[in-house]
Amino acid sequence: MAETAQADTGEAGAGKQPRSVRVVLLALMIAMMLAMLDNMIIGTAMPTIVGELGGLEHLSWVVTAYTLATAASTPLWGKLGDMYGRKGSFMTSIVIFLAGSALSGMAQDMGQLIGFRAVQGLGAGGLMVGVMAIIGDLIPPRERGKYQGMMAGVMALAMIGGPLVGGTITDHWGWRWSFYINLPLGAIALVAVSAVLHLPKKRSQARIDYLGAALLTIGITAIVLVTTWGGTEYAWTSARIMELIGIGVAALVGFVFWQTRAAEPIVPLHIFRSRNFTLMSVIGFIVGFVMFGATLFLPLYQQSVQGASATNSGLLLLPMLGAMLVTSMVAGRVTTNTGRYKIFPVLGGALMTVGLFLLSTMDTDTTRFTSGLYMAVVGLGMGCLMQITMLVAQNSVEMKDMGVASSSTTLFRTLGSSFGVAIMGALFNHRVQDVMAERAGALGSKVTENSAQLDAASLAKLPEAAREAYQHAVSSGTHGAFLLGAAVAVLALVASVFVKEVPLKGAGPQAADAPADGEDGASAKTPVTGAV
């Protein structure tokens, strides 16, 4: 097996990828699933975990610690892969993730669990970035489209299967296996990557930009804490939230200033000179904002208003996730066959906007069939955008910046999800409490004084009048949240109109002979090196 090989245009276009590439891709998909499944599995197990370990007041930190560590480490993993080689950094992130998983499963109290979840999050930050960057190394952009369906399928499987798997594992094996289940899957990915993936070794003489890393970590941490605590732990206008906003803004301004002077910046600012890369970062942020908001409030609406069980509400997301999977596969195939991709961001932005507006029209009389159709429209839009954003972003930079391009795009999507859940959640909670006070008076205010989101058991205990009032309140709350989502999605549509269709690298003689586009990244002649 050759230590290095060129995955040049001719080879990539010749047809089937070598078996070793397919083995690596399978390992990468397993790693990607680990990163996406974790929070969804753990969410189902949390009531059992609190019942055994106690520490209910620290419950939110089990998720927050993981999210913070993941977001803060994402840009660092991308840069380390660019500087020292992707295989080593990716395998290191898997090992850290598995160590965090094993330690979390052995935790004896809530404090230990929170600390070990942070370790797990540090590794998770490198999983998604590593997957995207390695695929960027192995597969030319023109050929990469055909694998979009695989990645979208993993995402859909994680969203639907996560709660089901988490509930089943917790009920039959105990909550600790929610963490231990990562170990055999991670070991398979680790062995496959170690044995089959061979990329050119790198050794940079430059020092890691520690100051830039520290400033970026502080800035991201402050942003995530603001979006996590705002409106829940602390009022949006409280001194603590204002302090965090000030710290976050100061750190990020300092980070941008320092990146113009650092010898080896964590996020080279020159990648944002590419119009396409900047637009894809904006669209990725909006996709994260919309997608995680939709997956949070749709099950809540289905359980509270349409009477679905917790398990069925996950399955009822199938129209959205199925449409997303099919569209992503079609978009990938068309992109591979034609080399054209601009139509998909435009179409995706339009469908997502229309779908979210339709979701905002749902009320207490909306049937499951109707809401399923509306969800399918949103899914069609997200399917056009999910993987195309990463494809175009990677095509807009030189190979040496593949890691930071992948990590930056992933980070913007992560931050978008944090803002989406926080802002849509604040709007939802405010509307629910207002409507409950209007329809059920003092009883309504008392019912929702601690939380605007009631579980099935609490809902069943309410008097009939209060239950009906709550159904109207949730319907009103989701109306406001999805209407906001539709307004934000318009920005994705506007941004996609300005995308410049630059020939995809590895797209055959036509692309190979195309002149480099000075504004939009690397020359089409840049070779794609993928050694397998």
Side-chain angles (χ1 to χ4, degrees), residues 281-448:
S281 298
V282 171
I283 293 172
F285 179 92
I286 294 169
V287 169
F289 188 106
V290 168
M291 184 176 71
F292 285 90
T295 53
L296 174 66
F297 293 109
L298 280 171
L300 181 61
Y301 171 84
Q302 290 162 336
Q303 291 176 52
S304 303
V305 180
Q306 295 182 329
S309 67
T311 300
N312 285 341
S313 67
L315 295 175
L316 288 172
L317 290 176
L318 273 173
M320 182 176 75
L321 299 174
M324 184 177 76
L325 174 59
V326 171
T327 315
S328 186
M329 292 176 67
V330 171
R333 285 291 176 181
V334 172
T335 301
T336 296
N337 292 335
T338 67
R340 316 285 296 191
Y341 55 81
K342 180 173 179 175
I343 182 63
F344 295 112
V346 175
L347 187 61
L351 287 170
M352 199 163 64
T353 302
V354 172
L356 287 163
F357 177 76
L358 291 173
L359 287 177
S360 75
T361 65
M362 296 190 303
D363 55 27
T364 54
D365 297 322
T366 303
T367 65
R368 291 184 183 179
F369 177 76
T370 302
S371 60
L373 287 178
Y374 295 167
M375 282 189 278
V377 177
V378 176
L380 290 173
M382 289 196 296
C384 290
L385 292 169
M386 284 298 298
Q387 305 304 330
I388 288 290
T389 53
M390 182 65 74
L391 172 66
V392 178
Q394 290 181 335
N395 191 60
S396 302
V397 301
E398 298 178 25
M399 287 298 297
K400 67 182 180 65
D401 293 323
M402 186 69 70
V404 292
S406 303
S407 64
S408 298
T409 307
T410 303
L411 177 62
F412 276 106
R413 188 176 297 177
T414 302
L415 294 179
S417 68
S418 294
F419 276 93
V421 170
I423 298 173
M424 293 171 78
L427 188 63
F428 172 86
N429 292 340
H430 180 72
R431 191 62 192 145
V432 167
Q433 289 166 350
D434 283 353
V435 173
M436 284 296 285
E438 290 171 9
R439 286 182 170 265
L443 175 61
S445 298
K446 185 176 181 181
V447 166
T448 57

Side-chain angles (χ1 to χ4, degrees), residues 457-471:
S458 301
L459 195 58
K461 294 176 183 176
L462 292 179
E464 183 67 26
R467 192 182 307 119
E468 287 184 6
Y470 185 70
Q471 289 175 339

Side-chain angles (χ1 to χ4, degrees), residues 39 79 137 141 161 177 260 313 373 387 392 434 445 466 479 481 517:
N39 265 339
K79 186 62 180 178
D137 271 356
W177 277 96
T260 63
S313 67
L373 287 178
Q387 305 304 330
V392 178
D434 283 353
S445 298
H479 166 76
D517 182 70

